[in-house]
């Protein structure tokens, strides 16, 4: 599911899950490469909050917000990062489609100032598309740190559009940007936004011919914000969306009048012919031509410090420090860069990287989430605050006020809405999820995740995934549903499917993981058995899936953002926003479960369902009473884990039974929301097949583990 | 195949064959997979750009212009560098 945009104005989306403030207002669309600070800028402009993290692929969906700039209100739209107008991965396509379908008053192309040379090419594409554009040079602070100087007014002159420098994470330059937006929309696009790029005499005639043929008749219904020249260029690069546009044009009566009925046929012919006469694929030709143009501009406007030839990752900072001693003040800055370099080289070191990972897991996950939050805090909340004070008080009050046993049962009974659903959600799930997301946000904001991807790539290849898949996998520990959506950033269908299966099967989500850590941490051997079994399962199923599923092996390309110091404010807001979302996600389901159980108990269906689940429960060596844990687990596996916590508290299970139950539950499908997301991303059949595989398989694994532990005579 | 200005006086090797900490210029990208090529180009890994190899293991890490990229051996084999 989608994280809520946290609005400063409460009235716009109170209680609703999807928040689309500002519908119908003039639009501002943010575009740019991944990880350049679009979402930070969105937050700074709109006063709302959408996720900001230090890795490419944080935003995989479009986010809407509302902004007041000058006298006017705007709808402001944040998009997933895209590298060029021609998309390669799915989340880029989301943004491309938006550009085709929406017409905004202003487009902000956000780039990372340091990487002007690399990103300006996309600016040129957007200008070719004739979008009303403002160029935002974000991360000016990092550019300065590296001694890069950019002549902004010169750049603005040579592009013919406003250019504004910002540091969006600090709010610097935002006022200037707002002023530019106001002025820009007032001018009402008086100037033509056009950078005429020449792609060479051989190919230009084809581009122009297609452009001409695309011209619709006067009263054509469909339209797009993108120029016909840009569409023509995209067609010559065999872009799906551009051809989709053509198909729509064909189907739209009156797009062309009768005289031009043959246009679309003609276009296809031209595109084929153009690709024949060019020795290189046209997308490369276009890219290189644009880059030439960019290099010309960059030479005029950007100055970089001289760089040392033999630079290594370890002493890059040092070398620069020596080089720069002549310049005032830059020495200190260069040394500042040397320290992150050191840490960086440890984090991605083939040998040292592994202990570094375990240290992070041990302190962040085990000690803070498992022992402190899921142990100490939950213990206190569950047993003292709720168990000792709140629940007895509420129960007594309720019983004295409402004299009907059936209703008493619904609200304050054993499975009651208050005594079970609300208590679980607040006393158990919330602290664990909060602690987890806190640690997680810190890790995300430093930029560790792409480094982990680099570190684990070769291992992930064995299970049919690339290092890029590390990001959704790690996100899965937070919430499987979010992570399932992030599988969009993976390149091939096969990789997305394998990642999806593994997420649904072997990656426990934060709440469940926290509970299991806390239950099992009292006995390190249990924890070890649990971890080993889950890890084996992950590797085994990944390995088998990569053998069975057709398709090419994945490849790995990932941009490595610099290590950044996390900002406290971002961490807190992000943690809060995720907790908020998680709570709204689980509470209704927990309440629903209470109600269903209540109905089930009144009608006898509950007992019936329990009877059925008793079979596999007993089969894997658990007492029949444990059946309700698994019944809960069908709703959500963290709900099942919460049930397990209850059973464990009352000392109903032996050590071996506890491990077996924990393993089985971990392997369950995460929750209904994740199932729905799988349907959305992979289709209904696949989703059904995945869950049809997972439940029996979870019990089978439980059975095998129980049998082995019994046979070995292990007692925990 | 995409070629930039070829430097006849220099040798051209793949990124895999390059020594770490050395800087060269991207000469060309060679791959049959249009998706990979498209991605590399869109990310700014283009012929003519200076490139510095930083690491070969656990995966390839290099710097083009101001950005670092991690790639696997497969991809590194498609990037030809003259140095
Ligand atoms: N130093 C610096 N960091 C920034 C700036 N803007 C954003 N960031 C950081 O860059 C990372 C990516 O930002 P985000 O807004 O998620 O980028 P997006 O992927 O384009 O939406 C985050 O860690 C931000 O804190 C900036 O102007 N300066
Ligand atoms: Mg974003």
């Amino acid at each position: 599911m989608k994280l809520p945009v946290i609005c400063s104005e409460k009235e716009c989306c109170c209680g609703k899950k999807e928040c689309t403030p500002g519908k119908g207002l003039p639009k501002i669309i943010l575009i740019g490469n991944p990880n350049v600070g679009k979402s930070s800028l969105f937050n700074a402009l709109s006063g709302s909050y959408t996720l900001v993290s230090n890795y490419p692929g944080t935003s995989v969906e479009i986010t809407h917000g509302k902004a007041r700039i000058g006298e006017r209100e705007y709808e402001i739209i944040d998009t997933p990062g895209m590298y060029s107008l021609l998309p390669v991965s799915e989340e880029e396509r989301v943004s491309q489609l938006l550009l085709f379908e929406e017409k905004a008053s202003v487009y902000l192309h956000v780039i990372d100032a340091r990487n002007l040379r690399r990103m300006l090419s996309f600016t040129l594409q957007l200008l070719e598309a004739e979008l009303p554009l403002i160029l935002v040079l974000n991360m000016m602070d990092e550019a300065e740190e590296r001694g890069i100087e950019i002549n902004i007014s010169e750049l603005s002159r040579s592009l013919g559009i406003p250019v504004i420098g910002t540091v969006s994470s600090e709010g610097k330059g935002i006022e200037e940007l707002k002023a530019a937006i106001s002025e820009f929309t007032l001018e009402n696009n008086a100037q033509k936004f056009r950078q005429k790029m020449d792609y060479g005499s051989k190919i230009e005639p084809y581009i122009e011919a297609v452009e001409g043929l695309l011209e619709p008749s006067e009263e054509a219904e469909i339209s797009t914000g993108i120029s016909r020249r840009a569409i023509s260029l995209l067609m010559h690069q065999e872009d799906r969306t551009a051809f989709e546009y053509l198909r729509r044009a064909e189907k739209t009566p009156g797009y062309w009048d009768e005289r031009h009925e043959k246009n679309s046929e003609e276009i296809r012919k031209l595109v084929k012919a153009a690709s024949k006469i060019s020795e290189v694929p046209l997308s490369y030709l276009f890219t290189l031509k644009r880059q030439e143009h960019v290099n010309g501009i960059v030479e005029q406007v950007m100055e970089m410090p001289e760089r040392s030839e033999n630079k290594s990752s370890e002493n890059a900072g040092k070398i620069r420090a020596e080089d720069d001693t002549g310049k005032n003040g830059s020495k200190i800055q260069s040394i500042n860069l040397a320290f992150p370099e050191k840490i960086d080289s440890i984090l991605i070191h083939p040998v040292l990287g592994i202990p570094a990972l375990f240290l992070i897991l041990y302190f962040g996950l085990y000690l803070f989430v498992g022992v402190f939050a899921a142990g100490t805090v939950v213990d206190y909340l569950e047993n003292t605050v709720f168990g000792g004070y709140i629940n007895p008080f509420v129960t007594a009050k309720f019983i004295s006020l409402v004299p009907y046993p059936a209703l008493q049962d619904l609200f304050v009974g054993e499975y009651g809405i208050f005594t079970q659903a609300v208590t679980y959600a607040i006393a158990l799930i919330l602290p664990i999820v909060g602690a987890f997301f806190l640690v997680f946000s810190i890790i995300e904001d430093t930029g560790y995740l792409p480094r982990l991807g680099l570190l684990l790539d070769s291992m992930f290849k064995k299970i049919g995934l690339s290092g890029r898949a590390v990001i959704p996998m790690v996100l899965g520990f937070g919430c499987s549903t979010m992570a399932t959506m992030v599988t969009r950033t993976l390149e091939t269908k096969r990789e997305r499917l394998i990642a999806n299966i593994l997420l649904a099967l072997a990656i426990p989500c934060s709440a469940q993981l926290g509970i299991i850590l806390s239950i099992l941490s009292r006995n390190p051997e249990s924890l070890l058995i649990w971890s080993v079994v889950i890890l084996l399962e992950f590797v085994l199923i990944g390995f088998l899936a990569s053998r069975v599923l057709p398709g090419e092996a994945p490849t790995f390309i990932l941009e490595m953002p610099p290590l950044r110091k996390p900002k406290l404010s971002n961490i807190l807001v992000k943690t809060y926003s995720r907790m908020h979302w998680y709570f709204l996600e689980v509470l209704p389901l927990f309440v629903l479960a209470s109600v269903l159980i209540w109905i089930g108990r009144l009608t006898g269906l509950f007992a019936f369902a329990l009877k059925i689940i008793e079979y596999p429960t007993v089969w894997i060596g658990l007492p029949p009473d444990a059946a309700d844990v698994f019944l809960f687990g069908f709703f959500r596996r963290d709900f099942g884990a919460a049930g397990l916590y209850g059973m464990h508290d009352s000392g109903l299970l032996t050590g071996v039974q506890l491990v077996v139950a924990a393993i089985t539950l971990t392997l369950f499908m995460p929750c209904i929301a994740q199932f729905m997301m799988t349907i959305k991303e992979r289709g209904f059949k696949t989703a059904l097949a995945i869950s049809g595989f997972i439940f029996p398989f979870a019990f089978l694994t439980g059975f095998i583990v129980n049998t082995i532990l019994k046979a070995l005579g292990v007692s925990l | 195949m995409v070629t930039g200005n070829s430097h006849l006086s220099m040798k051209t090797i793949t990124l895999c064959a390059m020594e770490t900490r050395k800087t060269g210029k991207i000469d060309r990208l060679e791959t049959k997979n249009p998706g990979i090529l498209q991605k590399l180009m869109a990310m700014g890994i283009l012929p003519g750009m200076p490139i510095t190899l930083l690491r070969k293991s656990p995966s390839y890490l290099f710097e083009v212009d101001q950005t670092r990229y991690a790639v696997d051996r497969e991809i590194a084999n498609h990037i030809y560098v003259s140095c």
Side-chain angles (χ1 to χ4, degrees):
Chain A
M1 287 294 116
K2 188 172 174 153
L3 277 179
V5 177
I6 297 185
C7 298
S8 44
E9 294 160 76
K10 285 274 183 284
E11 70 273 18
C12 78
C13 56
C14 232
K16 270 185 272 165
K17 267 214 181 130
E18 299 261 338
C19 177
T20 50
K23 265 226 159 88
L25 296 169
K27 295 187 181 88
I28 300 174
I29 297 183
L30 293 161
I31 324 167
N33 284 32
N35 215 38
V36 294
K38 294 178 297 302
S39 299
S40 308
L41 193 62
F42 173 89
N43 294 342
L45 284 173
S46 69
S48 314
Y49 182 79
T50 187
L51 286 189
V52 169
S53 308
N54 192 15
Y55 55 83
T58 313
S59 323
V60 291
E61 271 196 314
I62 289 160
T63 310
H64 301 261
K66 208 159 85 176
R68 179 164 203 94
I69 294 171
E71 295 296 294
R72 285 213 215 167
E73 293 228 297
Y74 294 87
E75 176 180 10
I76 172 161
I77 302 175
D78 185 27
T79 61
M82 65 190 303
Y83 286 100
S84 81
L85 214 46
L86 181 68
V88 181
S89 60
E90 291 298 304
E91 89 274 15
E92 287 182 274
R93 199 166 288 283
V94 171
S95 299
Q96 191 208 26
L97 278 175
L98 180 87
L99 292 183
F100 261 81
E101 279 159 15
E102 295 274 8
K103 255 191 188 147
S105 321
V106 194
Y107 294 78
L108 303 181
H109 182 211
V110 187
I111 69 176
D112 159 4
R114 196 160 42 96
N115 283 303
L116 189 65
R117 184 188 295 276
R118 196 160 66 81
M119 297 182 177
L120 212 51
S121 175
F122 189 18
T123 314
L124 294 181
Q125 281 184 297
L126 295 169
L127 288 172
E128 276 175 333
E130 293 175 31
L131 300 175
L133 201 66
I134 294 179
L135 181 62
V136 181
L137 299 184
N138 193 34
M139 305 201 173
M140 288 300 276
D141 54 335
E142 289 191 351
E144 261 163 45
E145 242 169 56
R146 286 168 175 76
I148 294 169
E149 281 166 34
I150 298 173
N151 184 339
I152 290 184
S153 54
E154 178 65 25
L155 180 60
S156 165
R157 213 190 44 73
S158 65
L159 291 173
I161 54 169
V163 179
I164 311 287
T166 60
V167 182
S168 63
S169 53
E170 313 269 330
K172 280 189 200 143
I174 301 300
E175 286 315 312
E176 288 86 335
L177 178 59
K178 283 184 173 174
I181 293 173
S182 291
E183 199 179 325
F184 195 71
T185 40
L186 282 182
E187 278 169 18
N188 239 341
N189 312 344
Q191 75 225 77
K192 233 346 187 181
F193 307 95
R194 189 147 192 185
Q195 276 267 323
K196 180 83 171 138
M197 290 278 312
D198 191 342
Y199 293 105
S201 55
K202 216 151 118 196
I203 218 73
E204 272 299 332
Y206 290 90
I207 301 172
E208 276 162 26
V210 170
E211 188 185 340
L213 289 169
L214 276 169
E215 182 157 11
S217 67
E218 300 268 310
E219 60 271 21
E221 295 257 309
I222 57 167
S223 68
T224 167
I226 293 186
S227 74
R228 287 192 301 280
R229 182 173 169 89
I231 297 179
S232 165
L233 286 167
L234 283 174
M235 281 179 165
H236 284 290
Q237 299 171 82
E238 285 152 43
D239 176 53
R240 211 161 74 199
T241 313
F243 277 103
E244 189 53 42
Y245 178 83
L246 184 63
R247 263 189 294 282
R248 266 183 27 216
E250 280 169 335
K251 285 204 196 108
T252 310
Y255 182 89
W256 287 295
D257 48 34
E258 296 91 58
R259 279 173 297 134
H260 299 107
E261 256 180 359
K262 292 265 154 61
N263 277 12
S264 60
E265 232 171 86
E266 198 70 7
I267 289 173
R268 281 174 226 269
K269 264 190 214 146
L270 281 167
V271 169
K272 276 220 181 75
S275 79
K276 276 229 180 71
I277 63 153
S278 165
E279 302 99 66
V280 295
L282 288 176
S283 56
Y284 320 139
L285 181 81
F286 296 165
T287 314
L288 288 180
K289 282 276 181 207
R290 266 197 303 270
Q291 192 62 39
E292 254 172 51
H293 195 97
V294 167
N295 289 345
I297 298 177
V298 169
E299 238 115 85
Q300 300 289 316
V301 303
M302 184 159 158
E303 257 183 73
M304 265 202 256
E306 276 299 308
R307 300 221 274 155
S308 179
E309 274 284 302
N310 288 346
K311 201 166 70 70
S312 76
S313 63
E314 277 84 4
N315 54 20
K318 266 188 256 151
I319 289 176
R320 238 174 274 166
E322 283 155 22
D323 287 349
D324 290 349
T325 36
K327 286 188 200 161
N328 260 352
S330 51
K331 182 172 184 183
I332 299 163
Q333 284 171 351
S334 301
I335 286 170
N336 278 347
L337 288 178
F339 182 63
E341 278 292 340
K342 272 254 159 54
I343 297 194
D344 202 352
S345 62
I346 292 175
L347 292 181
I348 54 178
H349 193 277
V351 180
L352 296 179
I354 303 291
L357 171 62
F358 277 105
L359 275 182
I360 294 170
L361 287 179
Y362 179 75
F363 283 103
L365 198 62
Y366 179 76
L367 281 189
F368 186 67
V369 180
V371 176
F372 172 69
T376 319
V377 177
V378 168
D379 215 30
Y380 178 73
L381 282 178
E382 169 103 8
N383 296 332
T384 312
V385 178
F386 274 85
Y389 299 100
I390 300 181
N391 285 352
F393 174 78
V394 172
T395 309
K397 261 272 178 292
F398 194 90
I399 289 178
S400 69
L401 287 176
V402 185
Y404 310 105
L407 280 185
Q408 288 172 358
D409 207 30
L410 175 61
F411 285 94
V412 295
E414 190 188 347
Y415 305 99
I417 291 176
F418 193 83
T419 34
Q420 178 171 286
V422 175
T423 308
Y424 274 178
I426 297 179
L428 198 56
I429 305 287
L430 210 54
I432 296 176
V433 169
F436 182 86
F437 282 143
L438 187 69
V439 173
F440 196 67
S441 297
I442 298 174
I443 292 177
E444 274 186 332
D445 284 17
T446 55
Y448 181 61
L449 294 186
R451 283 160 177 85
L452 194 58
L454 167 75
L455 189 65
L456 298 182
D457 177 59
S458 51
M459 292 180 222
F460 264 51
K461 287 281 168 57
K462 306 222 159 51
I463 54 172
L465 296 174
S466 75
R468 195 174 258 272
V470 166
I471 293 175
M473 287 302 152
V474 176
L475 281 175
F477 285 101
C479 167
S480 238
T481 315
M482 268 191 250
T484 303
M485 195 158 73
V486 173
T487 57
R488 265 182 211 176
T489 58
L490 303 180
E491 239 110 272
T492 62
K493 211 169 161 184
R494 177 175 183 261
E495 212 185 335
R496 292 194 285 270
L497 182 59
I498 296 177
N500 203 150
I501 293 173
L502 290 176
L503 276 173
L505 181 74
I507 305 281
C509 19
S510 52
Q512 187 198 21
L513 182 63
I515 296 170
I516 286 174
L517 282 181
S518 122
I519 296 175
L520 298 183
S521 66
R522 288 161 215 185
N523 186 348
E525 284 150 41
S526 311
L527 194 58
L528 190 69
I529 295 175
W530 176 84
S531 323
V532 168
V533 172
I534 299 298
L535 192 67
L536 273 180
E537 205 77 0
F538 180 85
V539 173
L540 178 76
I541 296 302
F543 180 75
L544 289 180
S546 73
R547 282 294 145 110
V548 172
L549 293 171
E552 276 175 55
T555 48
F556 175 57
I557 317 177
L558 190 63
E559 221 177 303
M560 198 60 53
L563 280 181
R564 295 194 167 104
K565 209 163 99 223
K567 278 192 57 170
L568 187 64
S569 58
N570 188 47
I571 288 174
L572 293 182
V573 185
K574 184 150 71 171
T575 306
Y576 169 76
S577 110
R578 283 177 166 158
M579 279 172 78
H580 175 111
W581 166 78
Y582 204 99
F583 189 69
L584 290 185
E585 187 77 27
V586 297
L587 189 65
L589 266 164
F590 281 14
V591 170
L592 178 71
S594 279
V595 174
L596 286 181
I597 290 171
W598 179 71
I599 296 174
R601 295 217 305 175
L602 285 183
T603 56
L605 278 175
F606 184 65
F608 180 70
L610 277 184
K611 260 267 149 330
I612 294 178
I613 299 174
E614 260 175 33
Y615 289 105
T617 309
V618 173
W619 186 57
I620 63 172
L622 297 179
D625 283 349
D628 55 359
V629 168
F630 294 109
L631 187 62
F632 293 173
F634 279 108
F635 281 100
R636 291 182 62 92
R637 49 182 188 189
D638 47 6
F639 195 39
L644 195 61
Y645 184 88
M647 283 200 90
H648 167 70
D649 247 13
S650 9
L652 292 173
L653 298 175
T654 68
V656 171
Q657 287 173 331
L658 211 53
V659 173
V660 171
I663 288 171
T664 312
L665 256 186
T666 308
L667 296 177
F668 261 38
M669 284 288 279
C671 58
I672 294 172
Q674 197 267 354
F675 182 69
M676 301 307 282
M677 185 59 79
T678 307
I679 293 180
K680 190 171 152 222
E681 299 285 319
R682 305 281 102 78
F684 186 69
K685 265 195 206 150
T686 311
L688 208 60
I690 292 178
S691 55
F693 162 71
I694 282 180
F695 285 114
F697 188 75
F699 280 111
L700 178 66
T701 309
F703 175 75
I704 294 173
V705 172
N706 184 49
T707 310
I708 294 176
L709 290 182
K710 280 268 168 59
L712 294 178
V714 177
S715 69
L716 295 165
Chain B
M1 189 184 87
V2 185
T3 354
N5 306 332
S6 49
H7 307 268
L8 292 176
S9 57
M10 298 188 215
K11 61 183 173 129
T12 304
I13 50 176
T14 68
L15 196 57
C16 294
M18 204 168 147
E19 269 172 66
T20 49
R21 298 170 199 195
K22 280 275 185 314
T23 299
K25 217 171 205 169
I26 300 179
D27 184 71
R28 59 182 195 274
L29 306 171
E30 256 187 41
T31 163
K32 282 181 211 86
N33 184 330
I36 293 178
L37 202 40
Q38 182 56 44
K39 187 103 201 172
L40 285 173
M41 308 260 302
M43 285 174 121
I45 304 170
L46 293 175
M49 289 280 204
I51 181 170
T52 308
L53 184 63
L54 299 173
R55 251 178 202 292
K56 287 186 169 188
S57 89
S59 291
Y60 289 78
L61 182 72
F62 59 88
E63 197 167 74
V64 173
D65 199 20
Q66 290 284 314
T67 309
R68 290 187 179 177
Y69 304 87
V71 301
D72 55 15
R73 196 184 169 77
E74 167 79 15
I75 304 251
N77 252 327
H78 294 313
I79 302 174
Y80 284 78
V81 181
S82 55
C83 52

